[in-house]
mmCIF file of all heavy atoms in Angstrom:
data_model
loop_
_atom_site.group_PDB
_atom_site.id
_atom_site.type_symbol
_atom_site.label_atom_id
_atom_site.label_comp_id
_atom_site.label_asym_id
_atom_site.label_seq_id
_atom_site.Cartn_x
_atom_site.Cartn_y
_atom_site.Cartn_z
ATOM 1 N N LEU P 74 67.896 -62.035 -30.788
ATOM 2 C CA LEU P 74 69.099 -62.574 -30.131
ATOM 3 C C LEU P 74 69.430 -61.760 -28.882
ATOM 4 O O LEU P 74 69.782 -62.298 -27.839
ATOM 5 C CB LEU P 74 70.284 -62.554 -31.104
ATOM 6 C CG LEU P 74 71.560 -63.221 -30.579
ATOM 7 C CD1 LEU P 74 71.331 -64.692 -30.312
ATOM 8 C CD2 LEU P 74 72.711 -63.043 -31.554
ATOM 9 N N ARG P 75 69.304 -60.432 -29.006
ATOM 10 C CA ARG P 75 69.601 -59.557 -27.873
ATOM 11 C C ARG P 75 68.735 -59.929 -26.666
ATOM 12 O O ARG P 75 69.182 -59.846 -25.529
ATOM 13 C CB ARG P 75 69.319 -58.104 -28.290
ATOM 14 C CG ARG P 75 69.661 -57.069 -27.252
ATOM 15 C CD ARG P 75 69.568 -55.675 -27.837
ATOM 16 N NE ARG P 75 68.217 -55.323 -28.210
ATOM 17 C CZ ARG P 75 67.424 -54.525 -27.493
ATOM 18 N NH1 ARG P 75 67.866 -53.999 -26.369
ATOM 19 N NH2 ARG P 75 66.211 -54.243 -27.894
ATOM 20 N N HIS P 76 67.512 -60.369 -26.938
ATOM 21 C CA HIS P 76 66.601 -60.736 -25.844
ATOM 22 C C HIS P 76 66.710 -62.203 -25.474
ATOM 23 O O HIS P 76 65.845 -62.700 -24.762
ATOM 24 C CB HIS P 76 65.160 -60.450 -26.263
ATOM 25 C CG HIS P 76 64.829 -59.010 -26.237
ATOM 26 N ND1 HIS P 76 64.527 -58.357 -25.080
ATOM 27 C CD2 HIS P 76 64.799 -58.097 -27.216
ATOM 28 C CE1 HIS P 76 64.307 -57.095 -25.344
ATOM 29 N NE2 HIS P 76 64.467 -56.903 -26.641
ATOM 30 N N HIS P 77 67.724 -62.892 -25.962
ATOM 31 C CA HIS P 77 67.852 -64.332 -25.734
ATOM 32 C C HIS P 77 66.580 -65.027 -26.189
ATOM 33 O O HIS P 77 66.108 -65.969 -25.550
ATOM 34 C CB HIS P 77 68.113 -64.639 -24.255
ATOM 35 C CG HIS P 77 69.408 -64.070 -23.757
ATOM 36 N ND1 HIS P 77 70.627 -64.647 -24.031
ATOM 37 C CD2 HIS P 77 69.685 -62.956 -23.047
ATOM 38 C CE1 HIS P 77 71.587 -63.921 -23.479
ATOM 39 N NE2 HIS P 77 71.046 -62.890 -22.889
ATOM 40 N N GLY P 78 66.016 -64.530 -27.287
ATOM 41 C CA GLY P 78 64.756 -65.079 -27.780
ATOM 42 C C GLY P 78 64.936 -66.263 -28.707
ATOM 43 O O GLY P 78 63.971 -66.925 -29.058
ATOM 44 N N HIS P 79 66.169 -66.519 -29.151
ATOM 45 C CA HIS P 79 66.392 -67.694 -29.982
ATOM 46 C C HIS P 79 66.586 -68.898 -29.068
ATOM 47 O O HIS P 79 67.449 -68.883 -28.188
ATOM 48 C CB HIS P 79 67.619 -67.502 -30.881
ATOM 49 C CG HIS P 79 67.384 -66.515 -31.983
ATOM 50 N ND1 HIS P 79 66.468 -66.728 -32.970
ATOM 51 C CD2 HIS P 79 67.924 -65.297 -32.227
ATOM 52 C CE1 HIS P 79 66.463 -65.686 -33.793
ATOM 53 N NE2 HIS P 79 67.321 -64.807 -33.368
ATOM 54 N N ILE P 80 65.762 -69.923 -29.290
ATOM 55 C CA ILE P 80 65.760 -71.079 -28.392
ATOM 56 C C ILE P 80 67.162 -71.658 -28.226
ATOM 57 O O ILE P 80 67.880 -71.878 -29.200
ATOM 58 C CB ILE P 80 64.826 -72.169 -28.935
ATOM 59 C CG1 ILE P 80 63.371 -71.706 -28.801
ATOM 60 C CG2 ILE P 80 65.025 -73.482 -28.192
ATOM 61 C CD1 ILE P 80 62.389 -72.719 -29.321
ATOM 62 N N ALA P 81 67.550 -71.862 -26.986
ATOM 63 C CA ALA P 81 68.822 -72.516 -26.681
ATOM 64 C C ALA P 81 68.561 -73.532 -25.585
ATOM 65 O O ALA P 81 67.621 -73.398 -24.807
ATOM 66 C CB ALA P 81 69.843 -71.495 -26.214
ATOM 67 N N ILE P 82 69.379 -74.567 -25.548
ATOM 68 C CA ILE P 82 69.250 -75.551 -24.473
ATOM 69 C C ILE P 82 70.047 -75.007 -23.292
ATOM 70 O O ILE P 82 71.275 -75.054 -23.289
ATOM 71 C CB ILE P 82 69.801 -76.918 -24.908
ATOM 72 C CG1 ILE P 82 69.044 -77.400 -26.151
ATOM 73 C CG2 ILE P 82 69.683 -77.932 -23.780
ATOM 74 C CD1 ILE P 82 69.539 -78.707 -26.696
ATOM 75 N N ASP P 83 69.340 -74.467 -22.317
ATOM 76 C CA ASP P 83 70.079 -73.792 -21.256
ATOM 77 C C ASP P 83 70.073 -74.570 -19.950
ATOM 78 O O ASP P 83 70.501 -74.071 -18.930
ATOM 79 C CB ASP P 83 69.512 -72.377 -21.033
ATOM 80 C CG ASP P 83 68.011 -72.371 -21.164
ATOM 81 O OD1 ASP P 83 67.389 -73.390 -20.793
ATOM 82 O OD2 ASP P 83 67.452 -71.379 -21.645
ATOM 83 N N MET P 84 69.593 -75.820 -19.994
ATOM 84 C CA MET P 84 69.478 -76.509 -18.709
ATOM 85 C C MET P 84 70.820 -77.012 -18.175
ATOM 86 O O MET P 84 70.933 -77.302 -16.998
ATOM 87 C CB MET P 84 68.450 -77.632 -18.775
ATOM 88 C CG MET P 84 68.860 -78.848 -19.533
ATOM 89 S SD MET P 84 67.600 -80.104 -19.309
ATOM 90 C CE MET P 84 67.415 -80.113 -17.529
ATOM 91 N N PHE P 85 71.836 -77.063 -19.027
ATOM 92 C CA PHE P 85 73.139 -77.507 -18.531
ATOM 93 C C PHE P 85 74.053 -76.340 -18.194
ATOM 94 O O PHE P 85 75.122 -76.523 -17.637
ATOM 95 C CB PHE P 85 73.845 -78.385 -19.559
ATOM 96 C CG PHE P 85 73.038 -79.587 -19.935
ATOM 97 C CD1 PHE P 85 72.486 -79.701 -21.193
ATOM 98 C CD2 PHE P 85 72.814 -80.600 -19.011
ATOM 99 C CE1 PHE P 85 71.726 -80.797 -21.529
ATOM 100 C CE2 PHE P 85 72.057 -81.695 -19.354
ATOM 101 C CZ PHE P 85 71.512 -81.801 -20.610
ATOM 102 N N THR P 86 73.645 -75.143 -18.591
ATOM 103 C CA THR P 86 74.592 -74.031 -18.481
ATOM 104 C C THR P 86 74.996 -73.774 -17.026
ATOM 105 O O THR P 86 76.106 -73.347 -16.765
ATOM 106 C CB THR P 86 74.009 -72.745 -19.102
ATOM 107 O OG1 THR P 86 72.678 -72.586 -18.631
ATOM 108 C CG2 THR P 86 74.007 -72.826 -20.612
ATOM 109 N N ASP P 87 74.099 -74.070 -16.091
ATOM 110 C CA ASP P 87 74.455 -73.848 -14.688
ATOM 111 C C ASP P 87 75.367 -74.952 -14.157
ATOM 112 O O ASP P 87 76.035 -74.782 -13.144
ATOM 113 C CB ASP P 87 73.187 -73.783 -13.826
ATOM 114 C CG ASP P 87 72.444 -72.488 -14.057
ATOM 115 O OD1 ASP P 87 73.097 -71.526 -14.519
ATOM 116 O OD2 ASP P 87 71.229 -72.442 -13.805
ATOM 117 N N LYS P 88 75.371 -76.089 -14.846
ATOM 118 C CA LYS P 88 76.116 -77.230 -14.312
ATOM 119 C C LYS P 88 77.509 -77.347 -14.908
ATOM 120 O O LYS P 88 78.372 -78.020 -14.358
ATOM 121 C CB LYS P 88 75.331 -78.525 -14.581
ATOM 122 C CG LYS P 88 73.987 -78.524 -13.860
ATOM 123 C CD LYS P 88 73.148 -79.733 -14.203
ATOM 124 C CE LYS P 88 71.788 -79.639 -13.543
ATOM 125 N NZ LYS P 88 70.797 -78.901 -14.341
ATOM 126 N N LEU P 89 77.717 -76.712 -16.050
ATOM 127 C CA LEU P 89 79.025 -76.813 -16.703
ATOM 128 C C LEU P 89 80.001 -75.824 -16.081
ATOM 129 O O LEU P 89 79.591 -74.781 -15.566
ATOM 130 C CB LEU P 89 78.885 -76.513 -18.199
ATOM 131 C CG LEU P 89 78.086 -77.540 -18.999
ATOM 132 C CD1 LEU P 89 77.794 -77.012 -20.383
ATOM 133 C CD2 LEU P 89 78.835 -78.856 -19.068
ATOM 134 N N PRO P 90 81.314 -76.169 -16.112
ATOM 135 C CA PRO P 90 82.311 -75.219 -15.611
ATOM 136 C C PRO P 90 82.235 -73.917 -16.414
ATOM 137 O O PRO P 90 82.157 -73.953 -17.642
ATOM 138 C CB PRO P 90 83.645 -75.923 -15.858
ATOM 139 C CG PRO P 90 83.338 -77.298 -16.306
ATOM 140 C CD PRO P 90 81.901 -77.407 -16.632
ATOM 141 N N ARG P 91 82.236 -72.809 -15.703
ATOM 142 C CA ARG P 91 82.086 -71.512 -16.350
ATOM 143 C C ARG P 91 83.079 -71.272 -17.495
ATOM 144 O O ARG P 91 82.681 -70.845 -18.575
ATOM 145 C CB ARG P 91 82.207 -70.381 -15.319
ATOM 146 C CG ARG P 91 80.886 -69.996 -14.705
ATOM 147 C CD ARG P 91 79.983 -69.382 -15.780
ATOM 148 N NE ARG P 91 78.795 -68.798 -15.212
ATOM 149 C CZ ARG P 91 77.611 -69.417 -15.121
ATOM 150 N NH1 ARG P 91 77.487 -70.656 -15.536
ATOM 151 N NH2 ARG P 91 76.570 -68.803 -14.612
ATOM 152 N N PRO P 92 84.377 -71.532 -17.274
ATOM 153 C CA PRO P 92 85.322 -71.238 -18.372
ATOM 154 C C PRO P 92 84.976 -72.022 -19.632
ATOM 155 O O PRO P 92 84.995 -71.475 -20.735
ATOM 156 C CB PRO P 92 86.678 -71.682 -17.815
ATOM 157 C CG PRO P 92 86.497 -71.679 -16.342
ATOM 158 C CD PRO P 92 85.081 -72.038 -16.082
ATOM 159 N N MET P 93 84.604 -73.291 -19.456
ATOM 160 C CA MET P 93 84.251 -74.107 -20.618
ATOM 161 C C MET P 93 83.064 -73.506 -21.361
ATOM 162 O O MET P 93 83.050 -73.398 -22.583
ATOM 163 C CB MET P 93 83.921 -75.529 -20.168
ATOM 164 C CG MET P 93 83.463 -76.407 -21.314
ATOM 165 S SD MET P 93 82.771 -77.944 -20.721
ATOM 166 C CE MET P 93 82.009 -78.562 -22.205
ATOM 167 N N LEU P 94 82.073 -73.101 -20.553
ATOM 168 C CA LEU P 94 80.871 -72.506 -21.131
ATOM 169 C C LEU P 94 81.216 -71.270 -21.961
ATOM 170 O O LEU P 94 80.779 -71.110 -23.104
ATOM 171 C CB LEU P 94 79.936 -72.124 -19.986
ATOM 172 C CG LEU P 94 78.497 -71.824 -20.351
ATOM 173 C CD1 LEU P 94 77.808 -73.095 -20.779
ATOM 174 C CD2 LEU P 94 77.788 -71.216 -19.161
ATOM 175 N N HIS P 95 82.045 -70.405 -21.365
ATOM 176 C CA HIS P 95 82.372 -69.153 -22.057
ATOM 177 C C HIS P 95 83.210 -69.413 -23.300
ATOM 178 O O HIS P 95 83.011 -68.764 -24.330
ATOM 179 C CB HIS P 95 83.095 -68.196 -21.110
ATOM 180 C CG HIS P 95 82.171 -67.539 -20.126
ATOM 181 N ND1 HIS P 95 81.053 -66.841 -20.514
ATOM 182 C CD2 HIS P 95 82.195 -67.486 -18.768
ATOM 183 C CE1 HIS P 95 80.422 -66.385 -19.438
ATOM 184 N NE2 HIS P 95 81.089 -66.769 -18.361
ATOM 185 N N ILE P 96 84.134 -70.359 -23.200
ATOM 186 C CA ILE P 96 84.969 -70.629 -24.386
ATOM 187 C C ILE P 96 84.104 -71.211 -25.497
ATOM 188 O O ILE P 96 84.154 -70.763 -26.650
ATOM 189 C CB ILE P 96 86.134 -71.593 -24.028
ATOM 190 C CG1 ILE P 96 87.132 -70.859 -23.153
ATOM 191 C CG2 ILE P 96 86.802 -72.095 -25.302
ATOM 192 C CD1 ILE P 96 88.247 -71.733 -22.643
ATOM 193 N N SER P 97 83.257 -72.177 -25.129
ATOM 194 C CA SER P 97 82.426 -72.805 -26.157
ATOM 195 C C SER P 97 81.492 -71.785 -26.804
ATOM 196 O O SER P 97 81.383 -71.713 -28.028
ATOM 197 C CB SER P 97 81.632 -73.954 -25.551
ATOM 198 O OG SER P 97 80.770 -74.479 -26.527
ATOM 199 N N GLN P 98 80.812 -71.014 -25.987
ATOM 200 C CA GLN P 98 79.891 -70.022 -26.567
ATOM 201 C C GLN P 98 80.668 -68.937 -27.298
ATOM 202 O O GLN P 98 80.226 -68.442 -28.350
ATOM 203 C CB GLN P 98 78.999 -69.401 -25.477
ATOM 204 C CG GLN P 98 77.957 -70.367 -24.982
ATOM 205 C CD GLN P 98 76.703 -69.676 -24.455
ATOM 206 O OE1 GLN P 98 76.402 -68.542 -24.802
ATOM 207 N NE2 GLN P 98 75.979 -70.368 -23.593
ATOM 208 N N GLY P 99 81.845 -68.559 -26.765
ATOM 209 C CA GLY P 99 82.663 -67.550 -27.453
ATOM 210 C C GLY P 99 83.056 -68.033 -28.842
ATOM 211 O O GLY P 99 82.897 -67.305 -29.833
ATOM 212 N N VAL P 100 83.531 -69.291 -28.896
ATOM 213 C CA VAL P 100 83.909 -69.853 -30.203
ATOM 214 C C VAL P 100 82.669 -69.965 -31.087
ATOM 215 O O VAL P 100 82.703 -69.620 -32.272
ATOM 216 C CB VAL P 100 84.572 -71.238 -30.021
ATOM 217 C CG1 VAL P 100 84.742 -71.936 -31.363
ATOM 218 C CG2 VAL P 100 85.916 -71.091 -29.325
ATOM 219 N N GLY P 101 81.563 -70.412 -30.489
ATOM 220 C CA GLY P 101 80.324 -70.556 -31.251
ATOM 221 C C GLY P 101 79.887 -69.239 -31.873
ATOM 222 O O GLY P 101 79.590 -69.172 -33.069
ATOM 223 N N TYR P 102 79.865 -68.196 -31.060
ATOM 224 C CA TYR P 102 79.441 -66.898 -31.591
ATOM 225 C C TYR P 102 80.446 -66.371 -32.621
ATOM 226 O O TYR P 102 80.060 -65.732 -33.601
ATOM 227 C CB TYR P 102 79.223 -65.888 -30.463
ATOM 228 C CG TYR P 102 77.869 -66.033 -29.808
ATOM 229 C CD1 TYR P 102 77.737 -66.462 -28.488
ATOM 230 C CD2 TYR P 102 76.711 -65.764 -30.525
ATOM 231 C CE1 TYR P 102 76.496 -66.609 -27.895
ATOM 232 C CE2 TYR P 102 75.453 -65.904 -29.937
ATOM 233 C CZ TYR P 102 75.352 -66.328 -28.622
ATOM 234 O OH TYR P 102 74.105 -66.476 -28.053
ATOM 235 N N ALA P 103 81.737 -66.647 -32.400
ATOM 236 C CA ALA P 103 82.743 -66.192 -33.373
ATOM 237 C C ALA P 103 82.507 -66.886 -34.720
ATOM 238 O O ALA P 103 82.547 -66.248 -35.782
ATOM 239 C CB ALA P 103 84.144 -66.470 -32.860
ATOM 240 N N LEU P 104 82.232 -68.202 -34.663
ATOM 241 C CA LEU P 104 81.936 -68.916 -35.914
ATOM 242 C C LEU P 104 80.645 -68.396 -36.546
ATOM 243 O O LEU P 104 80.539 -68.290 -37.777
ATOM 244 C CB LEU P 104 81.827 -70.421 -35.653
ATOM 245 C CG LEU P 104 83.146 -71.124 -35.323
ATOM 246 C CD1 LEU P 104 82.888 -72.553 -34.867
ATOM 247 C CD2 LEU P 104 84.069 -71.111 -36.537
ATOM 248 N N ALA P 105 79.691 -68.060 -35.661
ATOM 249 C CA ALA P 105 78.436 -67.507 -36.183
ATOM 250 C C ALA P 105 78.703 -66.203 -36.927
ATOM 251 O O ALA P 105 78.090 -65.931 -37.966
ATOM 252 C CB ALA P 105 77.447 -67.283 -35.045
ATOM 253 N N VAL P 106 79.648 -65.403 -36.404
ATOM 254 C CA VAL P 106 79.999 -64.154 -37.092
ATOM 255 C C VAL P 106 80.464 -64.476 -38.509
ATOM 256 O O VAL P 106 80.034 -63.850 -39.488
ATOM 257 C CB VAL P 106 81.096 -63.384 -36.338
ATOM 258 C CG1 VAL P 106 81.576 -62.189 -37.163
ATOM 259 C CG2 VAL P 106 80.597 -62.917 -34.983
ATOM 260 N N ALA P 107 81.313 -65.492 -38.621
ATOM 261 C CA ALA P 107 81.835 -65.852 -39.940
ATOM 262 C C ALA P 107 80.698 -66.243 -40.882
ATOM 263 O O ALA P 107 80.598 -65.734 -42.009
ATOM 264 C CB ALA P 107 82.827 -67.009 -39.806
ATOM 265 N N ILE P 108 79.814 -67.102 -40.389
ATOM 266 C CA ILE P 108 78.734 -67.585 -41.259
ATOM 267 C C ILE P 108 77.760 -66.469 -41.618
ATOM 268 O O ILE P 108 77.358 -66.321 -42.780
ATOM 269 C CB ILE P 108 78.013 -68.756 -40.575
ATOM 270 C CG1 ILE P 108 78.914 -69.986 -40.695
ATOM 271 C CG2 ILE P 108 76.666 -69.033 -41.191
ATOM 272 C CD1 ILE P 108 78.553 -71.084 -39.773
ATOM 273 N N LEU P 109 77.418 -65.668 -40.618
ATOM 274 C CA LEU P 109 76.469 -64.585 -40.884
ATOM 275 C C LEU P 109 77.085 -63.551 -41.825
ATOM 276 O O LEU P 109 76.393 -62.943 -42.639
ATOM 277 C CB LEU P 109 76.025 -63.941 -39.565
ATOM 278 C CG LEU P 109 75.178 -64.871 -38.688
ATOM 279 C CD1 LEU P 109 75.092 -64.355 -37.258
ATOM 280 C CD2 LEU P 109 73.779 -65.028 -39.278
ATOM 281 N N THR P 110 78.403 -63.353 -41.698
ATOM 282 C CA THR P 110 79.068 -62.421 -42.614
ATOM 283 C C THR P 110 79.009 -62.947 -44.050
ATOM 284 O O THR P 110 78.752 -62.188 -44.988
ATOM 285 C CB THR P 110 80.530 -62.201 -42.187
ATOM 286 O OG1 THR P 110 80.534 -61.787 -40.816
ATOM 287 C CG2 THR P 110 81.186 -61.130 -43.043
ATOM 288 N N ILE P 111 79.226 -64.256 -44.196
ATOM 289 C CA ILE P 111 79.122 -64.823 -45.552
ATOM 290 C C ILE P 111 77.705 -64.615 -46.090
ATOM 291 O O ILE P 111 77.520 -64.173 -47.229
ATOM 292 C CB ILE P 111 79.456 -66.338 -45.545
ATOM 293 C CG1 ILE P 111 80.903 -66.566 -45.109
ATOM 294 C CG2 ILE P 111 79.227 -66.935 -46.936
ATOM 295 C CD1 ILE P 111 81.245 -68.030 -44.882
ATOM 296 N N ILE P 112 76.713 -64.903 -45.242
ATOM 297 C CA ILE P 112 75.322 -64.734 -45.695
ATOM 298 C C ILE P 112 75.078 -63.278 -46.097
ATOM 299 O O ILE P 112 74.504 -62.996 -47.150
ATOM 300 C CB ILE P 112 74.330 -65.156 -44.591
ATOM 301 C CG1 ILE P 112 74.454 -66.661 -44.327
ATOM 302 C CG2 ILE P 112 72.899 -64.812 -44.981
ATOM 303 C CD1 ILE P 112 73.588 -67.167 -43.178
ATOM 304 N N ALA P 113 75.548 -62.341 -45.257
ATOM 305 C CA ALA P 113 75.324 -60.925 -45.547
ATOM 306 C C ALA P 113 76.017 -60.531 -46.845
ATOM 307 O O ALA P 113 75.439 -59.831 -47.686
ATOM 308 C CB ALA P 113 75.829 -60.069 -44.388
ATOM 309 N N LEU P 114 77.267 -60.991 -47.024
ATOM 310 C CA LEU P 114 78.000 -60.621 -48.241
ATOM 311 C C LEU P 114 77.337 -61.218 -49.482
ATOM 312 O O LEU P 114 77.244 -60.551 -50.523
ATOM 313 C CB LEU P 114 79.456 -61.084 -48.148
ATOM 314 C CG LEU P 114 80.305 -60.302 -47.143
ATOM 315 C CD1 LEU P 114 81.713 -60.900 -47.053
ATOM 316 C CD2 LEU P 114 80.372 -58.827 -47.507
ATOM 317 N N GLN P 115 76.866 -62.460 -49.362
ATOM 318 C CA GLN P 115 76.192 -63.081 -50.494
ATOM 319 C C GLN P 115 74.920 -62.297 -50.841
ATOM 320 O O GLN P 115 74.635 -62.058 -52.013
ATOM 321 C CB GLN P 115 75.828 -64.535 -50.177
ATOM 322 C CG GLN P 115 77.019 -65.471 -50.049
ATOM 323 C CD GLN P 115 77.707 -65.724 -51.379
ATOM 324 O OE1 GLN P 115 77.114 -65.565 -52.433
ATOM 325 N NE2 GLN P 115 78.978 -66.082 -51.334
ATOM 326 N N ALA P 116 74.179 -61.918 -49.802
ATOM 327 C CA ALA P 116 72.954 -61.145 -50.053
ATOM 328 C C ALA P 116 73.318 -59.800 -50.675
ATOM 329 O O ALA P 116 72.657 -59.338 -51.617
ATOM 330 C CB ALA P 116 72.175 -60.950 -48.757
ATOM 331 N N GLY P 117 74.379 -59.181 -50.164
ATOM 332 C CA GLY P 117 74.822 -57.901 -50.713
ATOM 333 C C GLY P 117 75.217 -58.033 -52.181
ATOM 334 O O GLY P 117 74.864 -57.196 -53.012
ATOM 335 N N HIS P 118 75.903 -59.130 -52.468
ATOM 336 C CA HIS P 118 76.321 -59.375 -53.847
ATOM 337 C C HIS P 118 75.116 -59.553 -54.765
ATOM 338 O O HIS P 118 75.033 -58.958 -55.841
ATOM 339 C CB HIS P 118 77.225 -60.608 -53.883
ATOM 340 C CG HIS P 118 77.727 -60.940 -55.251
ATOM 341 N ND1 HIS P 118 77.317 -62.060 -55.926
ATOM 342 C CD2 HIS P 118 78.561 -60.268 -56.078
ATOM 343 C CE1 HIS P 118 77.896 -62.070 -57.122
ATOM 344 N NE2 HIS P 118 78.660 -61.010 -57.236
ATOM 345 N N ARG P 119 74.161 -60.330 -54.295
ATOM 346 C CA ARG P 119 72.958 -60.545 -55.107
ATOM 347 C C ARG P 119 72.197 -59.236 -55.286
ATOM 348 O O ARG P 119 71.588 -59.000 -56.328
ATOM 349 C CB ARG P 119 72.044 -61.572 -54.435
ATOM 350 C CG ARG P 119 72.590 -62.974 -54.484
ATOM 351 C CD ARG P 119 71.708 -63.925 -53.717
ATOM 352 N NE ARG P 119 70.673 -64.520 -54.539
ATOM 353 C CZ ARG P 119 69.787 -65.400 -54.087
ATOM 354 N NH1 ARG P 119 69.812 -65.765 -52.831
ATOM 355 N NH2 ARG P 119 68.875 -65.905 -54.876
ATOM 356 N N MET P 120 72.233 -58.402 -54.239
ATOM 357 C CA MET P 120 71.541 -57.118 -54.340
ATOM 358 C C MET P 120 72.163 -56.278 -55.464
ATOM 359 O O MET P 120 71.454 -55.715 -56.299
ATOM 360 C CB MET P 120 71.649 -56.372 -53.007
ATOM 361 C CG MET P 120 71.104 -54.964 -53.053
ATOM 362 S SD MET P 120 71.266 -54.139 -51.457
ATOM 363 C CE MET P 120 73.004 -53.712 -51.473
#
Side-chain angles (χ1 to χ4, degrees):
Chain P
L74 186 62
R75 184 171 66 102
H76 285 280
H77 297 283
H79 289 296
I80 290 180
I82 302 178
D83 38 33
M84 73 173 310
F85 302 111
T86 47
D87 287 338
K88 297 175 184 87
L89 293 169
R91 270 294 189 264
M93 176 192 168
L94 195 70
H95 284 306
I96 289 175
S97 176
Q98 288 208 23
V100 170
Y102 278 113
L104 289 171
V106 172
I108 284 164
L109 293 164
T110 306
I111 297 172
I112 294 176
L114 289 176
Q115 292 290 337
H118 181 249
R119 289 176 90 179
M120 173 180 78

